[in-house]
Amino acid sequence: MKLYHTSQAEIRTPDVHHGRKNADFGPGFYLTPDKEFAYRWAWEDSVVNEFELEIGDLHVRTLSRNEEWFRYILQNRRGKDTLDAEVVIGPIANDTIFDTLGIISSGFLQPEEALRLLKIGPEYTQVAVKSERAAACLRWVGAEKIHAAEQNQAEQEEYQRLFAEALSEILPD
């Protein structure tokens, strides 16, 4: 499996214990199989690292944008990783989860309404390498320095418009 990770430096030996502990899929080294996504969301003067992951006999869990995925992410955001997996593959929720968590915890949204908001916009895939054994199966292939950000402003604006529209339907005046 070819995977990409955007960073400020080359990362030849990923550390599964470095980074945010409450990310979508809990602690781990996060990558994407979508090369275009890795480049498009890179910031100025960053590095896109390319890896190959040999899944072999690793315990891999694949999630889709559904209630199980939503509940798993909510638990991870609270620091409680509930999956026993070495690699987790599934949709990215980073942008929207921050917009919905405060609304859920304040009591304005029910979980099913929050899940509806999380399904807005394009679906991108992330791969979290969560164990040392899985990291040992990850081979660095190379890296490319990015000199200019390639963010897709139109996509972000459309996402924000759709999110606001859906939220106004859920929380009418």
Side-chain angles (χ1 to χ4, degrees), residues 54-118:
E54 180 62 45
I55 292 176
D57 65 346
L58 293 174
H59 182 212
V60 177
R61 185 69 187 271
T62 302
L63 301 170
S64 17
R65 253 179 167 174
N66 60 24
E67 190 172 327
E68 176 190 25
W69 165 78
F70 171 68
R71 297 223 181 274
Y72 177 56
I73 290 171
L74 281 179
Q75 288 301 313
N76 286 327
R77 293 293 172 165
R78 295 177 178 130
K80 300 175 186 170
D81 190 347
T82 57
L83 276 186
D84 180 27
E86 294 175 291
V87 176
V88 179
I89 303 170
I92 296 172
N94 285 336
D95 294 341
T96 314
I97 197 79
F98 289 115
D99 295 335
T100 57
L101 275 180
I103 301 170
I104 294 168
S105 60
S106 64
F108 285 115
L109 282 185
Q110 296 300 311
E112 57 276 356
E113 294 168 327
L115 178 58
R116 176 180 168 201
L117 293 174
L118 285 171

Side-chain angles (χ1 to χ4, degrees), residues 155-170:
E155 181 179 297
Q156 186 64 20
E157 288 172 4
E158 178 64 4
Y159 160 77
Q160 289 171 349
R161 185 189 69 74
L162 292 170
F163 186 86
E165 185 178 287
L167 190 58
S168 68
E169 291 172 10
I170 292 171

Side-chain angles (χ1 to χ4, degrees), residues 112-142:
E112 57 276 356
E113 294 168 327
L115 178 58
R116 176 180 168 201
L117 293 174
L118 285 171
K119 290 182 176 182
I120 292 172
E123 184 174 327
Y124 296 108
T125 301
Q126 63 188 345
V127 176
V129 174
K130 299 177 62 64
S131 72
E132 292 292 339
R133 191 167 93 95
C137 298
L138 192 61
R139 185 177 66 82
W140 185 79
V141 175

Side-chain angles (χ1 to χ4, degrees), residues 34-54:
D34 186 343
K35 184 176 184 177
E36 180 184 317
F37 177 77
Y39 279 85
R40 188 177 40 183
W41 293 100
W43 54 93
E44 193 169 339
D45 293 327
S46 57
V47 175
V48 175
N49 291 274
E50 182 178 337
F51 295 88
E52 289 180 351
L53 177 63
E54 180 62 45

